C-alpha cells in the first residue's frame, strides 16, 4: 500500500521546503517471535526466543519481551547492553530517533542487535500496515512517535495473544516518560519505567548501578545551592557566535591544574586563538574535549596561565568556599605581558563524553550509596555515582559514564558501566591505558580474517608478474632482539664497474592488503601497531605481521625493493624501485651485526655486505648532519622482564650501536627517495610526512636554560641549532649536553602526515630534508601501505583505485593516522610509566642523583639519568607549613628558604612508590640533597608515613 | 490561441442558434458547461487544483516560498503567476509556441489580482521589509476546449483555497538578529481567505447576443469578447476586451450586467463544491488524473 509522508524542512538558505516522500506499507513483516503462525514465513529465522527465560522480574512474572522507547534506549544503553537483558523489541521509530540524536548510541544498539545471544529484534513498525500511524492535526512529531510506539506495543500484545493463548507471552513497554506510561496503561499495555523494571529483576541487583540517574526529582543533591550559572540554549549560542559575542572552541582541561583550562577557538581567527579559563565558575561544567561557547572577559580580568600544580583532592562534598580560596592562590600577581585572553564558558555546543576509566573513591559514610569516582585521566573531573556494590568495587578499575551535571552540584552525575579488574593487575592496567588512549585492540573480526591468504601459502606464477626475482642476492635483516615483525632487509654488493649496489627491501604488505576490503579498512582504522612494554597491539593480523610479511631468513618473501647504484662516496648514481622476491640469508640483531662487522675473522658474504653498508652509512650520516639534521635525545628505557611473571626486574637505558644508525641511515635514504618519486608522479596526492620548524618562542626555555650555564644556543636554523648543541659542552658537567638535547626535543613540533595537494610546506625540520615520507615499515604503519600503493602505481607494478587519487580522502586518512600515532605514543609512555612503578614497587626505596629539567612555581621537575625517569618534586604539601618560595621566571630558578634551584642543578632525590592514592599510584620523589630543613628527607631511613604500610607488606611477603 | 476552422455554413448555424438562445450543445446563452473541480491533486505543492470545463483542462499549483517584500509594499507578500501552455493541448504550443498566450493569460491574472481586495496580501507578510511569503501560482494548460480564462480563474481560486502556508514564527534576540522558527506539526498552517478572489466571466459577442462559456466553435464565430472579473459579491474588478471586432457601449453595459449575475452564481456553486470536498477530509479518495 502506498502512502505519502509529508513534512516541512528549513533549508540552509533560510527558506522552507515541503518535502513529500512515498511510503510503502506492507503486510509481510514478521513479528520476530518464533512459531508465530500469523506471520510464518514472513521472517527468515526468528530472532526472539519463543520462551524468553529472562531473569525473573517481580513485576511481571510471566514470560515477556521488552519494548523500550527512545529515551530509554538513549540513556540506558548501558543497561540494555548487559547480558542479563535479552529479548528486546527495538522499533524502527525508536531506531530512527536514536540515529538522529546520538550516533554513538546508534552504533552501540546496532552492535547489540547484531549479537545473536541478545535476541534483540528490530521491528519495522513504520512500514507495517497495522502499526503505521500518521501524524494527526495538532500533534508534534514527538507525540506522534510516542503514539507510534504505543500502537506497536499494543499490536504486539494482541498479536502474541493470537499466537497461543496459553503461552501468555507479553510485551512490556519500558518508558521513563510519565505521561507516556499513563497513556500506555490506559490503553491496556503493561508499562513500567526503566528503573521500576530493573529494580524488579531480583536476580541481577548489580544492574541498578548501571542505570543512568536522570530523573530530576528525588535525585537532587541535598545542598540546593546553585554553584554554576546556567548554560545558554543552543539557539542563543549560535546567534552569539554568529554575531561574535561568543567564541566557539574545543575545551581542553589542564592536566596539572583542575581549576584551569584552555579553549582552542575554531576557525582562522588570528588573535584570541587560545582562551584561558580559570576558576570553577568560569569553567562552568565543561568537560575535556567538549565543544563550548565562551565569552571573553574584559581585559582587566585577564589572567596568566598559572604555573601551579593543583590537584582536586577535596574529599567528597561541595566545599565551594575552599575552592574559591584556592582560586585566589593561582591568581598570583604576574607581569602585564603574560596576561592572556581569558573567558568563561556560557554554554555547551556539543558534549564529547565517553565512558571513563578510573576508580571509586569510597564515601566516608558507611551506608552511603553515593560515591565519587576518580577518572584515571586527570583532565576529567570526578564523577558522582550511585552504587550498592561500593565495597566490591573498591580497589578495582571501573568504567563510568557521565549522565549530566546539574547546576547545584560540584561534580557531574554518572553511572557505573563495567568492572575492568583489580588495580595494579597488569592485564587490567593495560586494558585501562588502551581504553584511555582509544587504541583499537579487539581481536580481528572474522570479516577481516577472511581476507587473509589461505595457508599453506606459496608464491605463485601470478605473484611473479611484474616482480623481479632477487632471491640470489645476499640479503639480511638487522633488528632489535625478539623482533618478529621484520619489515626491512638490506643488501650491498660490488658491481663489475666498481660501484656499489645497495638495496633496501621492504615487506610487500600492499600485496596482501587489497584496497577497500575489511582487512584494509581495519588496518586503516588502527593506523599503527602499538608497542607496549609487554604487549604488541598489531595493526594487521598476526599471520601477516609475524609470518607472511615478516622478512624472515631462509624463506621466500615478497618485497618492495629500492635499489641504488652508489659510488664509494655514497653518492647515488641510479635509483630503481621494483617489486621483488627475496630470500633473506640471515636475521640478525643489532648486537650480532655489530659483532660480525667488528670481528676480523669473519669474511663471509653477509659480513662483507654489512661492512659495505656500514661504511656507506657513516658517510651518509655525516653528510646529513652537515646539512643540519638534528641529533636529539630522549631518555629511553627498556625493561628486563622476568620470563615467568613478566614483571620488570631491571631497567636499562637503550644502548645505541653503530648498526642501529646503519639501518636507520638506509631507511631514511629509502624514505627520501620514495618521497621524491611519488611526489614527482603524484604532485597532488602523495602522502608525505613533514616536520614543521618550531616557532622561535618554543625555544625560549632552552635558550634561557643554556644561558644560565653561560652557553649560547642559536635557534635561527636547524643547522645552527645542531651546531650550537654540538658546541654546548662543559668539561665539568658531561651530562649537560644530553640534558640540553632532551630539552631541545621538548621544543620540537609534532611530525605529521599530510597530502601533498593540501599543503605547500613539505620540509622535514628534524631530518633537514626537503621532502620525506614513510615507506619502510608497512607492517606496523598504515601510511607506508598507502605509500607502497602509490609507488607501485608509479612504477606500473599495480593498478590504481579511485580513493588513492582523491586528495580529500587522503587528507582524512592522514588525520586519522596522526591521531592514532599520537595516541599510540601516549599509550606507550603510559605503559612505561606503569612498568616503572612495578619496578620500583619491587625495588623499594632508592636514592639517586638527578638533574633539574624544569623549574616550576612550586615544584621542580627532575630527570634521573640512571633510569631515564622523570618526576616532579613538590615543595608544598598539604598539612605542612608552606615554605617560602620565590620563583624567578627570567632565569628559571626557584628559591626555597635559603636554597636556590637552577635549571640543570644536580640534586639527590629519593624515589619511592606512592600508593596513598591507589588510583594514581605514582612515583614519588622527594629531595634528599641539598638539605633544606623541613623539606628534605633523610636518604636512608624511611620515616615518612607513606611508605610505612608498603614496608610492612614487603616484610610479610618475604 | 488554439482554434478550429469552421465553414461558413457551420458558423451561420451557430450564430442563428445563439439568436434563438439555443446553442449547439443544447445550452442557453447564460449556461456554463459542467465544471469538474478537484483540489490537492499535487502533493508537493502548497495548494493545487484541477479544473475541467468541457474539454478545457487546467492544472494549477501554488507554491509558497519565503522571499523579501517589495520595496513599495514593505508589509505585504505577493503573488507571481506563470502560465505554461503544454504542447499536449495543441501542437501549436510546441517549443515557444505557447509563450505569447501564456504571457497574455499571466498578465490578465496579474491585473485581476492587482487590487487590495482580492487577496489579503498583508497576511503573507512574516516580518516587514525582511520576510514574506511569495505565492508562485503555476498554471498548466493541459487541453483547450474554449473559455480558457474562466477555467483558469476558477482553478486559481480553487488552488488558493486549497493552499496551506506553514506557520512560522520570528524569534528575535536582544541584538536584533532574527531567526525563523518552523513548527514541526505539518498541519500547523495558515490559509488565505478566498472570499474576494474574483473569477473571470468571458462573454462572447455572437451575432447580436452574447454567450458565456463559449466552446471553441463558438469562439470561432465571435469577433469580440469581454473578460469581466467578478467577485462573489458581484463587484467587477477588471474588464478587458479581446478580439478584433468592436463592441458598442450599450452592449458592454449589458454584458457586464450579465457577467455579474452569472458570476455570483458561479462563485456560489464553486464555494459550495470546495467546502463540500474539504469536509470529506484527508481520507477522501483522490481522483487526480486517473479519473
Amino acid at each position: 500500500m502506498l502512502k505519502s509522508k509529508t513534512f516541512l524542512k528549513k533549508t540552509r538558505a533560510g527558506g522552507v521546503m515541503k518535502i513529500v516522500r512515498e511510503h510503502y506499507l506492507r503486510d509481510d513483516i514478521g513479528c520476530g517471535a518464533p512459531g508465530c503462525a500469523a506471520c510464518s514465513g514472513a521472517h527468515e529465522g526468528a530472532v526472539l526466543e519463543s520462551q524468553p527465560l529472562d531473569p525473573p522480574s517481580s513485576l511481571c512474572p510471566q514470560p515477556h519481551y521488552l519494548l523500550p522507547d527512545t529515551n530509554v534506549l538513549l540513556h540506558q544503553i548501558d543497561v540494555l547492553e548487559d547480558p542479563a537483558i535479552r529479548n528486546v523489541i527495538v522499533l524502527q521509530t525508536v531506531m530512527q530517533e536514536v540515529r538522529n540524536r546520538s550516533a554513538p548510541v546508534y552504533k552501540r544498539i546496532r552492535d547489540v542487535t547484531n549479537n545473536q545471544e541478545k535476541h534483540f529484534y528490530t521491528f519495522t513498525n513504520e512500514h507495517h500496515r497495522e502499526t503505521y500511524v500518521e501524524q494527526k492535526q495538532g500533534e508534534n512529531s514527538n507525540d506522534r512517535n510516542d503514539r507510534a510506539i504505543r500502537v506497536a506495543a499494543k499490536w504486539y500484545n494482541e498479536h502474541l495473544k493470537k499466537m497461543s493463548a496459553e503461552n501468555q507471552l507479553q510485551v512490556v513497554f519500558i518508558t521513563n516518560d510519565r505521561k507516556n506510561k499513563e497513556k500506555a496503561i490506559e490503553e491496556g499495555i503493561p508499562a513500567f519505567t526503566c528503573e521500576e523494571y530493573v529494580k524488579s529483576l531480583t536476580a541481577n541487583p548489580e544492574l541498578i548501578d548501571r542505570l543512568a540517574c536522570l530523573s530530576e526529582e528525588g535525585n537532587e543533591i541535598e545542598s540546593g545551592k546553585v554553584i554554576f550559572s546556567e548554560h545558554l540554549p543552543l539557539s542563543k549560542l549560535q546567534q552569539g557566535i554568529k554575531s561574535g559575542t561568543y567564541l566557539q572552541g574545543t575545551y581542553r582541561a589542564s592536566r596539572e591544574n583542575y581549576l584551569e583550562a584552555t579553549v582552542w577557538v575554531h576557525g582562522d581567527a588570528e588573535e584570541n586563538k587560545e582562551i584561558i579559563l580559570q576558576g570553577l565558575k568560569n569553567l562552568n561544567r565543561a568537560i575535556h574535549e567538549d565543544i563550548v561557547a565562551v565569552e571573553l572577559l574584559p581585559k582587566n580580568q585577564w589572567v596568566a596561565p598559572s604555573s601551579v600544580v593543583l590537584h582536586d583532592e577535596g574529599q567528597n562534598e561541595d566545599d565551594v568556599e575552599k575552592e574559591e580560596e584556592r582560586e585566589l592562590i593561582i591568581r598570583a600577581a604576574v607581569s602585564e605581558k603574560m596576561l592572556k585572553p581569558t573567558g568563561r564558558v556560557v554554554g555547551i555546543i556539543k558534549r564529547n563524553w565517553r565512558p571513563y576509566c578510573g576508580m571509586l573513591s569510597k564515601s566516608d559514610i558507611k551506608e552511603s550509596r553515593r560515591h565519587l569516582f576518580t577518572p584515571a585521566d586527570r583532565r576529567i573531573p570526578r564523577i558522582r555515582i550511585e552504587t550498592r556494590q561500593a565495597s566490591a568495587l573498591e580497589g578495582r578499575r571501573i568504567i563510568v559514564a557521565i549522565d549530566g551535571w546539574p547546576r547545584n552540584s560540584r561534580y557531574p552525575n554518572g553511572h557505573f558501566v563495567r568492572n575492568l579488574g583489580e588495580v595494579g593487575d597488569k592485564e587490567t592496567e593495560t586494558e585501562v591505558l588502551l581504553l584511555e588512549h582509544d587504541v583499537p585492540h579487539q581481536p580481528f573480526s572474522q570479516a577481516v580474517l577472511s581476507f587473509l591468504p589461505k595457508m599453506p601459502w606459496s608464491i605463485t606464477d601470478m605473484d611473479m608478474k611484474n616482480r623481479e626475482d632477487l632471491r640470489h642476492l645476499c640479503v639480511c635483516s638487522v633488528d632489535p632482539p625478539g623482533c618478529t615483525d621484520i619489515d626491512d632487509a638490506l643488501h650491498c654488493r660490488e658491481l663489475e664497474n666498481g660501484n656499489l649496489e645497495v638495496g633496501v627491501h621492504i615487506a610487500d604488505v600492499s600485496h596482501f592488503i587489497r584496497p577497500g576490503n575489511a582487512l584494509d579498512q581495519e588496518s586503516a582504522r588502527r593506523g599503527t601497531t602499538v608497542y607496549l612494554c609487554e604487549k604488541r597491539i598489531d595493526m594487521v593480523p598476526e599471520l601477516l605481521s609475524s609470518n607472511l610479511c615478516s622478512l624472515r631468513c631462509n624463506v621466500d618473501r615478497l618485497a618492495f625493493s629500492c635499489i641504488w647504484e652508489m659510488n664509494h662516496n655514497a653518492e647515488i648514481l641510479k635509483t630503481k624501485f621494483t617489486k621483488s622476491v627475496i630470500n633473506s640469508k640471515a636475521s640478525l640483531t643489532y648486537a650480532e651485526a655489530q659483532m660480525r662487522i667488528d670481528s676480523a675473522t669473519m669474511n663471509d658474504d653477509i659480513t662483507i655486505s654489512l661492512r659495505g653498508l656500514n661504511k656507506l652509512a657513516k658517510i651518509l650520516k655525516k653528510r646529513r648532519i652537515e646539512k643540519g639534521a638534528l641529533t636529539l635525545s630522549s631518555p629511553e628505557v627498556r625493561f628486563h622482564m622476568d620470563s615467568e611473571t613478566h614483571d620488570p626486574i631491571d631497567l636499562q637505558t637503550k644502548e645505541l650501536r653503530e648498526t642501529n644508525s646503519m639501518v636507520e641511515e638506509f631507511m631514511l635514504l629509502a624514505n627520501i627517495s620514495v618521497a621524491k618519486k611519488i611526489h614527482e608522479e603524484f604532485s597532488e596526492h602523495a602522502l608525505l610526512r613533514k616536520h614543521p620548524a618550531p616557532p622561535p618562542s618554543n625555544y625560549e626555555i632552552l635558550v634561557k636554560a643554556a644561558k644560565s650555564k653561560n652557553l649560547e644556543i642559536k635557534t635561527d636554523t636547524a643547522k645552527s641549532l645542531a651546531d650550537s648543541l654540538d658546541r654546548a659542552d662543559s668539561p665539568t658537567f658531561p651530562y649537560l649536553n644530553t640534558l640540553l638535547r632532551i630539552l631541545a626535543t621538548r621544543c620540537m613540533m609534532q611530525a605529521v602526515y599530510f597530502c601533498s595537494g593540501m599543503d605547500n610546506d613539505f620540509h622535514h625540520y628534524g631530518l633537514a630534508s626537503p621532502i620525506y615520507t614513510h615507506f619502510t615499515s608497512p607492517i606496523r604503519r598504515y601510511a607506508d601501505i598507502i605509500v607502497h600503493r602509490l609507488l607501485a602505481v608509479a612504477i606500473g607494478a599495480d593498478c590504481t583505485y579511485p580513493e588513492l587519487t582523491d586528495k580529500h580522502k587522503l587528507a582524512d586518512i592522514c588525520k586519522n593516522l596522526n591521531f592514532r600515532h599520537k595516541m599510540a605514543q601516549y599509550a606507550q609512555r603510559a605503559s612505561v610509566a606503569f612498568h616503572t612503578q612495578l619496578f620500583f614497587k619491587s625495588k623499594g626505596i632508592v636514592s639517586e642523583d638527578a638533574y633539574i629539567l624544569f623549574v616550576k612555581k612550586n615544584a621542580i621537575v627532575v630527570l634521573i639519568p640512571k633510569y631515564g625517569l622523570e618526576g616532579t618534586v613538590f615543595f608544598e604539601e598539604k598539612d605542612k607549613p608552606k615554605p617560602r618560595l620565590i620563583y624567578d621566571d627570567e632565569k628559571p630558578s626557584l628559591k626555597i628558604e635559603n636554597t636556590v634551584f637552577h635549571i640543570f642543578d644536580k640534586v639527590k632525590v629519593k624515589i619511592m612508590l606512592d600508593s596513598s592514592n591507589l588510583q594514581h599510584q605514582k612515583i614519588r620523589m622527594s629531595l634528599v640533597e641539598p638539605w633544606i630543613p623541613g623539606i628534605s628527607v633523610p636518604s636512608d631511613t624511611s620515616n615518612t608515613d607513606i611508605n610505612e604500610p608498603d614496608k610492612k607488606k614487603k616484610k610479610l611477603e618475604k | 490561441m488554439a482554434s478550429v476552422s469552421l465553414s461558413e455554413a457551420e458558423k451561420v448555424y451557430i450564430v442563428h442558434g445563439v439568436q434563438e438562445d439555443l446553442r449547439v450543445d443544447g445550452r442557453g446563452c447564460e449556461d456554463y458547461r459542467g465544471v469538474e473541480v478537484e483540489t490537492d491533486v499535487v502533493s508537493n505543492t502548497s495548494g493545487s487544483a484541477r479544473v475541467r470545463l468541457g474539454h478545457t483542462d487546467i492544472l494549477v499549483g501554488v507554491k509558497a516560498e519565503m522571499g523579501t517584500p517589495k520595496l513599495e509594499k514593505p508589509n505585504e507578500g505577493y503573488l507571481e503567476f506563470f502560465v505554461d501552455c503544454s504542447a499536449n493541448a495543441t501542437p501549436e504550443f510546441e517549443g515557444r509556441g505557447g509563450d505569447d498566450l501564456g504571457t497574455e493569460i499571466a498578465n490578465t491574472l496579474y491585473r485581476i489580482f492587482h487590487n487590495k481586495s482580492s487577496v489579503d496580501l498583508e497576511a503573507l507578510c512574516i516580518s516587514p521589509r525582511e520576510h514574506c511569503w511569495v505565492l508562485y501560482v503555476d498554471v498548466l494548460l493541459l487541453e483547450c476546449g474554449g473559455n480558457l480564462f474562466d477555467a483558469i480563474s476558477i482553478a486559481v481560486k480553487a488552488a488558493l483555497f486549497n493552499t496551506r502556508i506553514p506557520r512560522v514564527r520570528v524569534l528575535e534576540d536582544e541584538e536584533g538578529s532574527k531567526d525563523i522558527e518552523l513548527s514541526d506539526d505539518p498541519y500547523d498552517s495558515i490559509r488565505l481567505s478566498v472570499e474576494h478572489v474574483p473569477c473571470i466571466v468571458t462573454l462572447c459577442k455572437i451575432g447580436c447576443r452574447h454567450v458565456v462559456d463559449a466552446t471553441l466553435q463558438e469562439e470561432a464565430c465571435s469577433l469580440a469578447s469581454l473578460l469581466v472579473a467578478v467577485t462573489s459579491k458581484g463587484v467587477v474588478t477588471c474588464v478587458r476586451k479581446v478580439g478584433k471586432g468592436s463592441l458598442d457601449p450599450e452592449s458592454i453595459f449589458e454584458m457586464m450586467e450579465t457577467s455579474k449575475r452569472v458570476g455570483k452564481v458561479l462563485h456560489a456553486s464553486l464555494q459550495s463544491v470546495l467546502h463540500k470536498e474539504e469536509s470529506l477530509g484527508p481520507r477522501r479518495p483522490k481522483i487526480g488524473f486517473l479519473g
Side-chain angles (χ1 to χ4, degrees), chain A residues 82 191 224 233 282 293 302 373 531 662 740 785 800 828 861 881 944:
Chain A
D82 193 277
N282 289 343
W302 283 15
F373 160 85
Y531 294 88
M662 171 187 94
L740 281 170
I785 295 183
T800 181
Q828 251 151 291
V861 180
T944 14

Side-chain angles (χ1 to χ4, degrees), chain A residues 134 142 175 285 299 302 313 367 503 522 538 579 620 679 820 888 891:
Chain A
E134 253 174 293
N142 268 339
T175 179
R285 294 171 284 160
K299 270 206 171 138
W302 283 15
E313 270 153 14
E367 268 83 43
E522 180 65 21
D538 277 326
K579 291 222 172 187
L620 285 171
H679 182 244
R820 293 289 176 203
D888 182 3
K891 187 165 77 179

Side-chain angles (χ1 to χ4, degrees), chain A residues 3-4 6-10 14-16 18 20 134-142 236 239-240 242-243 245, chain B residues 42-46 63-66 133 166 168 171 173-175 177 179-187 283:
Chain A
K3 289 251 175 198
S4 67
T6 308
F7 53 97
L8 292 163
K9 207 176 121 183
K10 243 173 92 173
V16 173
K18 183 176 173 186
V20 180
E134 253 174 293
Q135 191 160 6
K136 278 194 206 154
Q137 198 147 4
E139 193 178 45
N140 64 26
S141 53
N142 268 339
K236 275 210 173 148
Q239 281 161 11
K242 227 188 253 171
S243 65
T245 14
Chain B
V42 187
S43 58
N44 54 3
T45 56
S46 309
K63 267 203 123 136
E65 279 182 26
M66 209 106 72
W133 288 109
V168 293
L171 301 173
D173 66 359
E174 310 91 63
E175 282 94 40
S177 63
D179 199 26
I180 287 174
E181 197 194 60
L182 184 66
S183 154
D184 76 340
D185 177 9
Y187 294 98
R283 297 196 181 277

Side-chain angles (χ1 to χ4, degrees), chain A residues 409-582:
Chain A
S409 161
R410 165 74 178 75
Y411 299 109
N413 293 332
H415 67 272
F416 165 74
V417 178
R418 194 149 77 92
N419 186 344
L420 291 175
E422 188 98 30
V423 72
D425 182 55
K426 261 201 299 293
E427 294 286 312
T428 315
E429 296 296 328
T430 311
E431 178 83 16
V432 167
L433 70 91
L434 289 175
L435 280 173
E436 277 298 297
H437 295 98
D438 198 10
V439 176
H441 60 283
Q442 302 80 7
F444 288 96
S445 69
Q446 273 309 316
V448 171
L449 295 176
S450 70
F451 286 98
L452 290 177
K454 301 280 168 292
M455 292 301 283
W457 173 85
S458 63
I459 298 168
T460 62
D461 289 341
M462 271 294 282
D463 298 335
M464 289 306 290
K465 230 175 94 189
N466 294 327
R467 211 172 267 281
E468 220 172 297
D469 192 346
L470 302 176
R471 278 177 280 205
H472 57 279
L473 290 176
C474 181
V475 175
C476 66
S477 63
V478 186
D479 285 284
C483 177
T484 59
D485 49 348
I486 305 169
D487 39 24
D488 51 76
L490 299 155
H491 88 271
C492 170
R493 64 170 180 173
E494 196 146 341
L495 294 175
E496 279 156 20
N497 58 10
N499 287 338
L500 291 168
E501 181 193 82
V502 179
V504 167
H505 311 275
I506 307 297
D508 191 6
V509 181
S510 62
H511 176 85
F512 296 101
I513 301 184
R514 302 311 297 169
N517 66 25
L519 177 57
D520 181 50
Q521 279 164 10
E522 180 65 21
S523 323
R525 190 170 79 93
R526 297 190 175 210
T528 175
T529 295
V530 182
Y531 294 88
L532 304 181
C533 285
E534 85 293 19
K535 202 173 173 183
R536 188 177 84 197
I537 316 293
D538 277 326
M539 180 182 80
V540 296
E542 198 179 352
L543 177 68
L544 291 181
S545 68
S546 309
N547 188 357
L548 297 185
C549 288
S550 180
L551 303 176
R552 297 186 299 185
C553 56
N554 301 322
V555 281
D556 289 350
R557 284 287 174 253
L558 300 181
F560 210 139
S561 302
C562 171
I563 297 166
W564 299 284
E565 191 178 326
M566 289 185 179
N567 59 20
H568 286 270
N569 234 343
E571 276 150 359
I572 299 171
L573 305 170
K574 228 197 266 168
T575 312
K576 188 175 88 177
F577 304 102
T578 177
K579 291 222 172 187
S580 62
V581 184
I582 60 159

Side-chain angles (χ1 to χ4, degrees), chain A residues 327-368:
Chain A
E327 279 165 31
L328 284 178
I329 302 173
I330 56 178
R331 274 193 208 143
V334 272
S335 58
E336 281 284 309
K337 67 171 181 170
M338 296 287 289
L339 294 181
K340 290 246 171 87
T342 308
R344 66 181 191 93
V345 172
V346 288
I348 309 284
I349 292 163
K350 187 169 174 282
R351 288 287 195 192
N352 262 332
W353 291 341
R354 57 181 174 91
Y356 301 101
C357 295
M359 281 182 71
L360 201 67
S361 326
K362 216 175 140 198
S363 167
D364 297 335
I365 311 150
K366 252 206 178 140
E367 268 83 43
S368 175

Side-chain angles (χ1 to χ4, degrees), chain A residues 649-805:
Chain A
I649 42 179
D650 200 6
L651 263 166
Q652 185 191 39
T653 43
K654 265 187 194 163
E655 230 179 297
L656 286 180
R657 294 192 179 79
E658 251 180 11
T659 43
N660 288 50
S661 86
M662 171 187 94
V663 174
E664 191 192 335
E665 224 41 65
F666 283 104
M667 294 306 131
L668 292 177
L669 193 65
N671 285 337
I672 293 169
S673 295
V674 171
K676 277 182 193 151
K677 176 77 180 173
I678 58 172
H679 182 244
E680 199 176 285
E681 207 74 23
F682 303 99
S683 58
E684 281 296 295
H685 35 255
L687 191 153
L688 302 175
R689 189 169 172 83
K690 69 170 175 180
H691 183 210
S697 60
N698 275 22
Y699 285 124
E700 251 169 51
I701 185 139
L702 176 68
V703 175
K704 271 185 199 168
K707 219 172 173 184
S708 70
K709 290 280 172 229
N710 292 324
L711 293 169
E712 193 191 12
I713 298 286
K714 284 199 194 116
T715 58
D716 38 347
T717 61
K719 169 86 177 129
S720 61
L721 175 66
D723 289 347
S724 52
L725 276 176
D726 285 339
R727 278 196 305 274
D729 242 332
S730 157
T732 52
F733 188 6
Y735 199 65
L736 179 65
N737 193 270
T738 316
L739 283 174
L740 281 170
R741 282 181 201 275
I742 290 171
L743 269 189
T745 316
R746 307 274 160 100
C747 304
M748 293 298 152
M749 307 281 282
Q750 274 280 345
V752 287
Y753 295 111
F754 68 104
C755 167
S756 60
M758 308 287 269
D759 209 325
N760 38 30
D761 172 33
F762 295 178
H763 194 73
H764 197 291
Y765 181 79
L767 296 171
S769 170
I771 191 165
Y772 191 68
T773 192
H774 269 164
F775 168 72
T776 53
S777 301
I779 300 180
R780 60 187 176 86
R781 290 190 303 235
Y782 189 75
D784 302 51
I785 295 183
I786 295 283
V787 171
H788 274 229
R789 288 182 184 156
L790 286 166
L791 186 64
V793 174
I795 61 168
D798 206 342
C799 48
T800 181
Y801 59 101
E803 282 81 21
L804 191 65
T805 48

